[in-house]
Amino acid sequence: MKNFTHKYRVTFTNKQFVISFIVSILALVGAFVFNYYTSNYATEHASNLVTDIVLSNIPIYNVDGVFVYGPLFVWALIAFLLLKEPKRIPFALKAITLFVVVRSIFTTLTHLGPYPYVIPFDYSYGWIKSLTFGSDMFFSGHTGLPYLMALIFGKIHKTYYYLFLLAAVFFGVIVLLGHYHYTIDVAAAFFITYSIYAIATKWFKKDMGQFYS
């Protein structure tokens, strides 16, 4: 416990870290606000659906529970890994911020309507209603975010890489089974996310150095 407390005391008495930490928090909050408005825009301007090589050939499954609560486990693991080593927080949050902003921009470019649901989304999940828009399709955040964490934490330990990669593939399957995303949304998420990671390593070099130190 003393080592844990000492780690936080040393980290948060570093002025440069504190500034970067505050900036990363504010940037992430701003990104989520931006995402809210862009997702609403995409939903309001949604057009017709299109056929899909996977969705057109598989039945729809009720995976609401996994779709809603599954990512919470991923976020909990991310939070644990960051709180365990606070020096990792700024780079991780800035990379996530970049991810959210890029995805928000992509959702405003093409406004495909959602694939028709046979099983309506269960809004008894309460708080998720305000976060589920319906037509913020491209690209899949359920797939992309775990993959981003795989790229970031994978350099620390291979176990993290495979764990987050497995989560990305798992949620990719889930969103297809529930017809929440088109196949292109899931497939493209891996390629776009890798580009986001590459940009983050260039833009946030100091934070990345602190992350891996």
Side-chain angles (χ1 to χ4, degrees):
M1 187 63 182
K2 285 185 178 180
N3 290 336
F4 185 78
T5 305
H6 176 71
K7 185 185 300 182
Y8 267 78
R9 185 182 299 114
V10 171
T11 302
F12 280 91
T13 52
N14 184 322
K15 183 179 179 180
Q16 186 176 6
F17 171 84
V18 172
I19 293 174
S20 184
F21 174 79
I22 294 174
V23 168
S24 65
I25 294 291
L26 294 177
L28 184 60
V29 172
F32 280 129
V33 172
F34 181 57
N35 175 73
Y36 175 81
Y37 286 105
T38 56
S39 295
N40 271 319
Y41 174 84
T43 300
E44 290 171 1
H45 293 79
S47 61
N48 298 324
L49 62 95
V50 296
T51 55
D52 183 279
I53 193 170
V54 173
L55 303 187
S56 299
N57 292 286
I58 64 171
I60 189 170
Y61 295 89
N62 188 345
V63 291
D64 285 0
V66 180
F67 178 80
V68 173
Y69 292 114
L72 295 183
F73 288 99
V74 175
W75 278 105
L77 177 58
I78 295 170
F80 171 76
L81 294 175
L82 294 181
L83 293 175
K84 182 181 177 182
E85 292 288 345
K87 65 180 182 179
R88 297 173 179 169
I89 295 176
F91 178 66
L93 294 191
K94 288 178 181 179
I96 293 172
T97 296
L98 184 61
F99 177 89
V100 174
V101 170
V102 170
R103 184 178 180 277
S104 298
I105 293 172
F106 270 70
T107 60
T108 66
L109 300 180
T110 303
H111 317 126
L112 289 180
Y115 207 80
Y117 297 142
V118 176
I119 303 175
F121 188 84
D122 184 3
Y123 283 117
S124 65
Y125 291 106
W127 58 271
I128 198 65
K129 184 175 183 179
S130 62
L131 303 177
T132 304
F133 301 91
S135 295
D136 51 332
M137 307 296 289
F138 190 84
F139 50 96
S140 170
H142 275 68
T143 305
L145 183 65
Y147 184 53
L148 179 63
M149 295 300 103
L151 296 172
I152 291 176
F153 286 101
K155 287 188 176 182
I156 296 175
H157 201 290
K158 280 295 182 182
T159 301
Y160 297 144
Y161 176 79
Y162 291 116
L163 183 61
F164 281 116
L165 179 61
L166 180 63
V169 174
F170 173 75
F171 287 120
V173 173
I174 289 298
V175 298
L176 291 178
L177 291 178
H179 290 198
Y180 295 119
H181 277 285
Y182 290 99
T183 306
I184 190 64
D185 302 334
V186 174
F190 291 98
F191 297 93
I192 299 173
T193 300
Y194 188 86
S195 299
I196 292 171
Y197 169 74
I199 294 172
T201 60
K202 299 294 183 183
W203 285 7
F204 315 124
K205 284 185 177 181
K206 289 184 179 179
D207 296 305
M208 183 181 68
Q210 184 73 13
F211 186 99
Y212 294 116
S213 63

